[in-house]
Amino acid sequence: MSHQLTFSELLSYDPGQPGITVPVVLRLREQEVSLDAKLDTGASHCIFQRGYGERPGLEIESGWRISISTATGSFTAFGHEISLWVQNFSFEVMAYFAAADSYKRNVLGRHGFLNLVRLGLIDYDGKLYLSRYGDNANGEV
């Protein structure tokens, strides 16, 4: 049995670099900030460096506080409702910003990104195919 997948967007990335890098825009009201984030299927949430929340005017500690555990330790982050843009897709999400300036990663995780898209990946070619989850609502994938 064969299966056919269709996607509305293609994002090319450099497979020679560590991780899968995705250009992202975060918007809050009329302010926006552009950054690169890593696609991280093991991350529970979308987590960004503190400065990327401060630039559009967020007061980081006023957000929803959580403790995030990783294989190397844990850290505190604060969640805020923002608009997250990837390619031509916009999502209103709860994104988390690390409390400490020492956190230096930006990741697109399950809640806030992966649960909102369908994706196909051909890492050898550096191709990430994306569609909004729910597109092709007729059951076709």
Side-chain angles (χ1 to χ4, degrees):
M1 179 191 303
S2 67
H3 300 276
Q4 181 176 344
L5 299 172
T6 58
F7 299 95
S8 58
E9 298 290 327
L10 170 62
L11 188 149
S12 295
Y13 65 93
D14 184 350
Q17 296 299 312
I20 298 167
T21 303
V22 177
V24 173
V25 174
L26 302 178
R27 289 188 181 154
L28 178 67
R29 295 178 287 278
E30 299 300 316
Q31 301 296 318
E32 68 179 44
V33 61
S34 298
L35 59 108
D36 286 335
K38 298 294 185 180
L39 185 65
D40 189 342
T41 59
S44 296
H45 304 283
C46 295
I47 307 164
F48 303 101
Q49 294 175 47
R50 179 186 184 94
Y52 288 121
E54 291 174 331
R55 286 184 201 162
L58 289 175
E59 293 181 26
I60 301 302
E61 280 78 10
S62 70
W64 182 261
R65 180 188 171 109
I66 63 170
S67 179
I68 297 174
S69 297
T70 71
T72 59
S74 63
F75 63 94
T76 300
F78 294 90
H80 293 271
E81 291 284 336
I82 59 146
S83 295
L84 183 142
W85 290 73
V86 174
Q87 290 287 93
N88 292 316
F89 301 118
S90 169
F91 307 101
E92 297 301 315
V93 302
M94 176 70 74
Y96 291 86
F97 297 88
D101 288 324
S102 59
Y103 180 84
K104 299 297 182 192
R105 291 190 53 103
N106 299 303
V107 299
L108 295 172
R110 287 185 57 216
H111 302 289
F113 185 68
L114 291 173
N115 65 332
L116 302 174
V117 298
R118 288 187 299 115
L119 65 87
L121 178 65
I122 304 175
D123 190 53
Y124 188 84
D125 294 334
K127 304 292 184 198
L128 178 66
Y129 297 89
L130 293 170
S131 284
R132 182 180 298 274
Y133 181 80
D135 284 359
N136 297 329
N138 61 5
E140 179 181 308
V141 289

